[in-house]
Amino acid sequence: MSTAVLYDLSSIGRIFRLRGIIKTYADNYQQVTDAMANDLAKRSIEVQKKRTALIEKTYDKVVKVMPAKRAVRFLQVENVLNQLIDIQVSVEVPLME
């Protein structure tokens, strides 16, 4: 499989993990305990770490086959897309009380 396909599959997996975290929070919004909040935070941090590791791994592969300036452009576009997704999620998920 190509790097692009593997990257897309990994990104989809990350989205499903994030969706699971949000669903757990939504299902328990009225009765979130400290333990549950801690678990949600840890799971969310793990998703962020995996996203960063995936971007780094993909960048390392991309920069080997194209000029660094073009590879950095991939990185910039990826960051913008991830930020847009993060903003969309942030406006739809209420802050924890």
Side-chain angles (χ1 to χ4, degrees), residues 11-25:
S11 293
I12 290 168
R14 180 187 62 80
I15 290 168
F16 279 113
R17 285 188 298 277
L18 184 58
R19 183 173 175 231
I21 294 167
I22 293 168
K23 181 171 178 4
T24 300
Y25 175 54

Side-chain angles (χ1 to χ4, degrees), residues 65-77:
V65 297
M66 66 177 58
K69 287 167 68 171
R70 184 173 283 172
V72 169
R73 193 174 318 144
F74 151 77
L75 194 61
Q76 290 173 318
V77 170

Side-chain angles (χ1 to χ4, degrees), residues 2-51:
S2 74
T3 299
V5 171
L6 291 174
Y7 183 82
D8 287 344
L9 290 174
S10 294
S11 293
I12 290 168
R14 180 187 62 80
I15 290 168
F16 279 113
R17 285 188 298 277
L18 184 58
R19 183 173 175 231
I21 294 167
I22 293 168
K23 181 171 178 4
T24 300
Y25 175 54
D27 290 348
N28 297 285
Y29 177 71
Q30 298 296 327
Q31 66 268 4
V32 174
T33 64
D34 281 341
M36 190 179 298
N38 188 52
D39 178 62
L40 291 169
K42 296 284 187 181
R43 289 168 54 195
S44 178
I45 291 166
E46 192 59 35
V47 168
Q48 297 302 324
K49 285 180 183 178
K50 287 182 179 182
R51 175 168 73 178

Side-chain angles (χ1 to χ4, degrees), residues 51-67:
R51 175 168 73 178
T52 301
L54 175 62
I55 291 170
E56 183 177 17
K57 179 179 175 183
T58 304
Y59 176 79
D60 289 344
K61 288 181 180 180
V62 169
V63 79
K64 288 178 183 174
V65 297
M66 66 177 58

